Amino acid sequence: MLSHDVLVVGAGLAGMRAAVEIAPKADVAVLSKVHPLRSHSGAAQGGINAALGSNDSWEAHMFDTVKGSDYLGDQDAIEIMCQEGPQDIYQMEHLGVPFNRTSQGTLAQRPFGGSGFPRTCFVADITGHAMLHTMYEYLKRRGVRVYEEWLVLSLAVEEGVCCGVVALDIASGQIHPMRAKAVILATGGAGRIYWGYSTNGHASTGDGMALAYRAGLPLMDMEFVQFHPTTLKANGILLSEGARGEGGYLRNAAGERFMAHYASERMELAPRDVVARAEQQEIDDGRGVDGCVLLDTRHLGEKVIQERLPQVRQLAVDFAQVDPVKNMVPVRPGQHYTMGGIKTDAWGATSLPGLYAAGECACVSVQGANRLGGNSLLETIVFGRRTGQAAASLAAANGLPPFPQGIVAKAETDVRTLMARESGERIASLRYEMGQTMMDKVGIFRTRERLSQGWEAIRALRERYSKIGLQDKSRTFNTELVAALELGHMLDVAEVIALSALQREESRGSHFRRDFPERDDVNWLKHTLAFSSDEGPHMEYGDVVVTRFKPEVRKY
Amino acid sequence: MQVVFKVQRYQPERDGQPYFQSFPLELPERATVLDGLHQIKDERDGSLSFRRSCRSAICGSCAMYINGAYHLACNTGVETLKAQEIVVSPLPHLRVIKDLIVDMQPFFEKFERALPYLMTTTPPPERERLQSPEQRRAFEEMINCIQCAACYSACPMVWTDPQYLGPAALTKVYRFVSDSRDEVGRQRLALVDNDHGVWRCHTIFNCHIACPKNINPTWSIQQLKRKTIARRLRFWERG
Ligand SMILES: Cc1cc2nc3c(=O)[nH]c(=O)nc-3n(C[C@H](O)[C@H](O)[C@H](O)COP(=O)(O)OP(=O)(O)OC[C@H]3O[C@@H](n4cnc5c(N)ncnc54)[C@H](O)[C@@H]3O)c2cc1C
Ligand code: FES
């Protein structure tokens, strides 16, 4: 049986950061359903935050993050991230990340939404791409074994300890048990649940969240879904917040900079939840253009755009046929980030011994009810590193735990049954309806009525999912099988999102209830914890860690 | 818009040889080739197999050979091809695993041979290593590479010399040779100063034409050639 000290599931920035930390100390392997370089971290554009400037401070970064999170983020974890972040960024620089520079040769930083200081380091507008490639290169240098294009199907748990995974080698179609002393989930976000309305690539299907949830672990704060203000209508592709960070405006049909009515001080650089709601309000009130508002960067000039936003320009040209040097680009809010996730402590440990989580699939929680742009890449490297440290220590102290009997046979039967079903509904139609339902009913503006309809609709889709049929009967590289398994994960997580949102009767950060428009700290300054049960998600609630900053009115 | 997608198919368990299959499609105005492939997979034949991830031209999954040229399927507008028939095949000269999916292993083996990581001999400072914007500009173009293997597939020297590092890996070498922070330039030049390195390049420029990110590997390779010669001369002068 394949076995390693530590198995890292996911080769985005969080997973690879964890693996390179472990490599000198223990035998570590990484599994990823796409080649590491195809991971979604590579799509991150705008940058990564840290207080590096001589008149900036980690306390200021911490305050902005706490306030941005609408006071739901756990302040002990936020403190760690903001305090340790600068060193982690310097380390990325030492590994070779080609950050943009100031004329003095130090790391350049640009302003980003919700931050009181320009503290976003960047590589043009391909920051994630440059970091992901550097991290992969370093992973290779460290000689870490990578199981490329392997899909994890389930976690192996025996006697209350996580002892490995069951995985499908996509190319051969073979199913393998894999033993380990520790498993780290770093499977990224779940944006594709909002199919067609998400900035996320096709691999962001919430697999790790679903695997942990099915294994009995709680998913925390899943109702907090970030909508990004500047996405393209055709397919949800993102235009970086860097466009506004560099000075771009948002205008309505009348040409007015409408943010003046919603966040007169920070304007376009208010946090994303505020800007996304403002846009949607403008569109709903008939001041939009064909379901969009307009991103105006014309005044920045070709030189700045070419030097600092080349990808934004190319994406607008390729996918909206508009050159932002000369014209305004129609944009609208689209699903972007999953603030919630698998509940962990500040070392990435979950409540299941042997199981860890880091990155977007985890919830430590530093993003709370609304993430600030540039804080997610930071979360991946800070908590990726810490989780790697913790898992390596666990592996050093323990032997291989026992592995459950029959788990591979069960996975094999499940896959065979799914593939054997001759006729049935197509996964594509279910996926489409799921995305439509989530955007319409569990979107930017929420009400009890819509949320209950959304929850019912997702439950109905789960029923229909049990009758899907696949046309691809080959075991070699069966991408239809992969898509079907991913859809199963997404539907589980979608149900948790809808029900968590239905039960939270207040408005906080990205979760806006028209029927409960105020934040309610008395009853709701707490984390949602969704557990799986036979009747669907079962909710419990946990305390928020408040240390330095007491909740205040959040105004921008 | 009405077009016919003619797609190369191959399922190893079933087909002795690859063959083409045609799908008449009705696509929205601004559809990309990837949208077309998805439409086939979603509505017509779920077994059509291809790689994709970001669908925004940054992850390098979807390089293909489309109407006689190298493209990323995800950022190629069907309309821009100005054709009634869209012929899609996998990257030529790489082993086909299934339909449009090729074996990328040889490509990534060469990537690893290129020592694709920053190497230094001095210990890192407490903060960042300094680098001026001008110094950074020297390798700015190369960091856009998404390792999609279009250039590799297009290079006739790769077809004839299986040992040849190829345009992507050599571009990677030059990316580090020209990074002011890297301190093992001589080792890197020695690595490529041979028949399976820079001297295999006959400046055919296919790689540049193929690159969907508009990078020019031939130029990088010529820079490397110059530097390897300078290195040899320095050795020779010193006796
Ligand atoms: C378009 C876009 C732009 C962004 N820009 C920024 C930005 O400028 N700044 C910022 O801070 N944040 C940004 N973000 C957010 C940030 O990029 C992500 O939150 C972060 O990169 C997630 O990293 P990760 O390592 O957690 O997951 P990912 O990079 O998504 O990696 C997930 C990994 O898990 C693997 N995986 C998943 N499921 C399985 C399975 N079942 N079996 C095996 N492997 C599996 C995948 O193959 C992949 O390797 C952006 C996000 C998007 C979508
Ligand atoms: S899907 Fe990522 S480059 Fe085309």
Side-chain angles (χ1 to χ4, degrees):
Chain A
M1 199 189 300
L2 296 168
S3 111
H4 297 276
D5 288 340
V6 184
L7 281 178
V8 180
V9 186
L13 278 169
M16 290 202 285
R17 183 64 192 84
V20 300
E21 191 66 28
I22 300 164
K25 306 168 196 159
D27 164 33
V28 56
V30 177
L31 286 102
S32 178
K33 66 179 176 179
V34 298
H35 183 281
L37 293 181
R38 319 309 182 205
S39 298
H40 202 56
S41 288
Q45 301 175 6
I48 175 165
N49 296 341
L52 307 179
S54 49
N55 37 8
D56 196 3
S57 69
W58 68 261
E59 290 92 342
H61 184 190
M62 177 178 172
F63 173 73
D64 288 340
T65 304
V66 171
K67 181 177 172 189
S69 83
D70 218 347
Y71 296 90
L72 190 71
D74 283 332
Q75 296 188 18
D76 51 348
I78 297 176
E79 179 163 333
I80 289 170
M81 179 173 83
C82 297
Q83 210 171 8
E84 297 181 2
Q87 216 41 56
D88 281 295
I89 295 211
Y90 289 134
Q91 211 171 19
M92 288 304 297
E93 194 281 328
H94 296 158
L95 294 187
V97 175
F99 286 114
N100 278 59
R101 304 289 174 148
T102 64
S103 52
Q104 283 84 47
T106 57
L107 302 184
Q109 294 185 289
R110 62 164 53 128
F112 241 45
S115 291
F117 206 84
R119 68 167 74 92
T120 306
C121 304
F122 58 97
V123 180
D125 54 3
I126 54 165
T127 312
H129 165 81
M131 287 177 65
L132 185 75
H133 280 244
T134 304
M135 196 69 94
Y136 177 66
E137 290 159 8
Y138 189 58
L139 189 83
K140 284 285 144 189
R141 187 173 187 187
R142 280 271 159 104
V144 174
R145 170 80 198 263
V146 183
Y147 294 88
E148 276 159 30
E149 303 185 317
W150 282 47
L151 178 82
V152 171
L153 302 172
S154 62
L155 297 173
V157 182
E158 181 79 346
E159 295 167 12
V161 174
C162 181
C163 53
V165 301
V166 177
L168 170 78
D169 172 3
I170 299 173
S172 73
Q174 300 230 338
I175 294 174
H176 298 272
M178 299 183 86
R179 294 183 71 174
K181 300 173 185 172
V183 174
I184 299 176
L185 293 172
T187 51
R192 294 309 294 188
I193 290 173
Y194 290 77
W195 199 267
Y197 296 92
S198 173
T199 63
N200 291 191
H202 286 280
S204 301
T205 53
D207 297 10
M209 296 174 188
L211 298 180
Y213 178 65
R214 289 173 187 175
L217 284 112
L219 296 185
M220 183 156 112
D221 295 339
M222 292 301 290
E223 62 272 40
F224 298 99
V225 175
Q226 179 162 82
F227 294 87
H228 193 291
T230 53
T231 76
L232 297 178
K233 190 176 174 184
N235 46 12
I237 285 177
L238 177 84
L239 299 186
S240 169
E241 187 160 309
R244 281 170 291 135
E246 295 294 346
Y249 300 145
L250 290 169
R251 298 185 188 277
N252 60 20
E256 184 192 11
R257 282 179 70 191
F258 57 86
M259 282 311 298
H261 305 300
Y262 302 90
S264 54
E265 212 170 294
R266 293 284 175 86
M267 295 291 287
E268 281 86 356
L269 287 179
R272 290 175 178 169
D273 57 328
V274 176
V275 183
R277 271 196 295 279
E279 288 183 355
Q280 196 59 48
Q281 194 67 56
E282 293 292 304
I283 295 166
D284 291 352
D285 292 350
R287 290 189 291 276
V289 182
D290 201 14
C292 292
V293 296
L294 300 166
L295 174 65
D296 186 0
T297 53
R298 293 171 301 180
H299 55 288
L300 302 180
E302 183 158 7
K303 186 166 175 290
V304 168
I305 292 179
Q306 207 44 47
E307 198 169 292
R308 301 205 151 185
L309 303 164
Q311 184 179 212
V312 165
R313 183 180 188 183
Q314 196 61 48
L315 290 171
V317 169
D318 283 351
F319 296 100
Q321 283 77 38
V322 177
D323 183 352
V325 170
K326 300 194 200 89
N327 294 100
M328 296 195 277
V329 191
V331 292
R332 67 174 186 189
Q335 191 286 343
H336 183 56
Y337 185 82
T338 319
M339 264 81 72
I342 305 157
K343 179 179 167 32
T344 71
D345 67 14
W347 291 100
T350 69
S351 50
L352 178 65
L355 185 69
Y356 297 79
E360 192 170 338
C361 74
C363 186
V364 292
S365 86
V366 286
Q367 318 293 3
N370 172 65
R371 165 175 85 89
L372 295 187
N375 266 354
S376 166
L377 290 179
L378 184 64
E379 178 184 357
T380 65
I381 59 168
V382 173
F383 291 99
R385 168 181 53 75
R386 290 173 67 91
T387 305
Q389 287 166 349
S393 313
L394 182 94
N398 294 317
L400 274 176
F403 198 83
Q405 296 283 317
I407 173 170
V408 178
K410 178 177 180 308
E412 183 67 44
T413 314
D414 289 353
V415 163
R416 273 179 203 276
T417 315
L418 186 57
M419 284 179 62
R421 221 176 287 137
E422 275 307 328
S423 62
E425 204 171 348
R426 281 179 172 274
I427 49 180
S429 52
L430 260 67
R431 240 168 18 197
Y432 174 79
E433 283 182 48
M434 171 184 64
Q436 207 63 34
T437 301
M438 292 301 283
M439 195 63 200
D440 291 346
K441 309 290 184 190
V442 197
I444 298 173
F445 291 119
R446 302 170 171 183
T447 63
R448 177 181 299 149
E449 194 191 356
R450 280 202 228 174
L451 289 168
S452 349
Q453 289 167 351
W455 183 42
E456 289 300 325
I458 295 295
R459 287 176 74 89
L461 286 174
R462 280 165 53 96
E463 271 308 301
R464 281 161 61 190
Y465 177 74
S466 60
K467 301 187 202 76
I468 56 168
L470 299 188
Q471 291 176 307
D472 195 342
K473 304 296 177 196
S474 133
R475 282 307 275 256
T476 308
F477 229 108
N478 192 326
T479 52
E480 198 186 17
L481 172 64
V482 172
L485 295 166
E486 290 174 335
L487 177 59
H489 297 148
M490 288 194 281
L491 286 169
D492 279 11
V493 178
E495 188 183 5
V496 173
I497 296 176
L499 194 62
S500 305
L502 177 61
Q503 307 230 333
R504 183 177 284 270
E505 297 190 328
E506 66 153 353
S507 289
R508 184 185 295 273
S510 67
H511 174 69
F512 191 85
R513 291 279 302 253
R514 280 211 192 275
D515 40 358
F516 299 95
E518 300 298 325
R519 194 176 81 194
D520 175 1
D521 287 338
V522 177
N523 296 302
W524 287 104
L525 183 60
K526 52 190 182 186
H527 295 299
T528 303
L529 296 168
F531 292 84
S532 164
S533 81
D534 289 344
E535 292 82 51
H538 152 79
M539 300 298 165
E540 292 180 16
Y541 293 91
D543 291 339
V544 174
V545 180
V546 177
T547 57
R548 287 168 185 262
F549 304 109
K550 301 279 167 278
E552 283 172 17
V553 178
R554 181 169 172 257
K555 196 170 174 302
Y556 289 96
Chain B
M1 128 185 66
Q2 287 187 329
V3 285
V4 176
F5 266 51
K6 202 171 145 192
V7 186
Q8 183 174 318
R9 305 298 307 267
Y10 174 69
Q11 205 222 83
E13 294 105 320
R14 189 189 59 201
D15 307 323
Q17 285 294 320
Y19 62 97
F20 279 92
Q21 188 178 4
S22 291
F23 299 91
L25 298 180
E26 174 73 47
L27 290 171
E29 276 314 300
R30 288 170 181 176
T32 62
V33 173
L34 183 63
D35 292 334
L37 294 173
H38 269 140
Q39 194 184 96
I40 297 172
K41 187 172 183 67
D42 290 353
E43 296 168 16
R44 310 281 274 283
D45 182 353
S47 74
L48 180 67
S49 306
F50 50 91
R51 287 192 181 100
R52 87 282 183 262
S53 176
C54 70
R55 56 88 175 87
S56 60
I58 194 70
C59 79
S61 296
C62 70
M64 295 173 193
Y65 198 60
I66 300 166
N67 281 10
Y70 290 85
H71 291 282
L72 296 176
C74 68
N75 76 342
T76 303
V78 173
E79 235 170 359
T80 64
L81 295 168
K82 298 196 179 13
Q84 277 305 302
E85 192 176 66
I86 311 295
V87 186
V88 187
S89 26
L91 285 180
H93 306 285
L94 293 169
R95 184 179 71 86
V96 178
I97 297 176
K98 185 177 180 183
D99 292 345
L100 301 169
I101 298 173
V102 294
D103 180 5
M104 296 282 282
Q105 203 170 341
F107 173 76
F108 278 114
E109 272 168 22
K110 291 178 183 177
F111 170 85
E112 285 182 45
R113 261 172 55 200
L115 307 178
Y117 25 76
L118 190 77
M119 289 196 278
T120 54
T121 47
T122 54
E126 211 160 280
R127 297 172 65 104
E128 67 270 61
R129 284 178 200 273
L130 297 180
Q131 181 168 60
S132 72
E134 292 68 43
Q135 286 173 321
R136 183 182 174 279
R137 214 160 284 141
F139 58 91
E140 195 167 36
E141 176 182 304
M142 283 80 83
I143 61 176
N144 286 312
C145 175
I146 56 176
Q147 305 296 339
C148 69
C151 59
Y152 183 80
S153 164
C155 174
M157 294 300 119
V158 172
W159 310 340
T160 50
D161 175 8
Q163 292 299 310
Y164 175 42
L165 272 174
L170 286 169
T171 300
K172 191 56 112 180
V173 174
Y174 188 60
R175 175 249 175 277
F176 286 107
V177 164
S178 52
D179 188 330
S180 58
R181 298 170 297 175
D182 193 80
E183 291 165 348
V184 299
R186 292 168 61 146
Q187 184 186 339
R188 296 187 188 281
L189 292 175
L191 176 81
V192 301
D193 187 4
N194 56 59
D195 283 351
H196 305 301
V198 289
W199 304 110
R200 183 63 64 193
C201 171
H202 291 188
T203 55
I204 298 163
F205 285 96
N206 272 15
C207 51
H208 183 33
I209 297 167
C211 180
K213 301 302 273 189
N214 209 13
I215 300 167
N216 184 349
T218 312
W219 182 83
S220 291
I221 298 170
Q222 299 327 296
Q223 299 306 310
L224 282 174
K225 284 182 183 167
R226 239 180 249 156
K227 285 184 185 274
T228 52
I229 300 221
R231 170 179 159 272
R232 283 197 212 172
L233 284 176
R234 274 198 301 274
F235 266 137
W236 182 69
E237 275 165 11
R238 277 197 224 110

